[in-house]
Amino acid sequence: GVIGLDPKPDALHITPRLPKVLEFAAVRDVSWRGAKLCIRVMSTTVKIDGTAADGSTASLQLDIQLGETAVLNASDIPTHKN
């Protein structure tokens, strides 16, 4: 899709595929490794806000080149396996 989410066993790969008419796209309440994520992608930036099951939060911004993949490792966002 437009967001380009590709979950792997050890990381979440995000490759934005925005059409030129869109400045950004976002998705909320993505469940990944026990965390709830809000992911916002622009052509060269991926912003991620996450909340773990224990209520701890984290924010992350990944700057990428056009067409590149941002990789969110399990250690980047506080998560808890259920």
Side-chain angles (χ1 to χ4, degrees), residues 1-5 14-19 22 24-26 41-42:
V2 173
I3 302 287
L5 293 179
I14 305 166
T15 308
R17 297 180 187 101
L18 294 175
L22 288 180
F24 73 92
V41 300
M42 282 102 356

Side-chain angles (χ1 to χ4, degrees), residues 39-71:
I39 302 170
R40 179 180 169 124
V41 300
M42 282 102 356
S43 58
T44 59
T45 306
V46 175
K47 293 182 180 180
I48 303 162
D49 295 308
T51 303
D54 68 0
S56 58
T57 61
S59 293
L60 181 66
Q61 179 172 315
L62 304 169
D63 296 319
I64 58 173
Q65 298 296 317
L66 190 62
E68 283 187 341
T69 298
V71 178

Side-chain angles (χ1 to χ4, degrees), residues 28-40:
R28 295 183 298 175
D29 296 328
V30 174
S31 293
W32 182 66
R33 299 181 63 86
K36 289 283 187 187
L37 305 177
C38 176
I39 302 170
R40 179 180 169 124

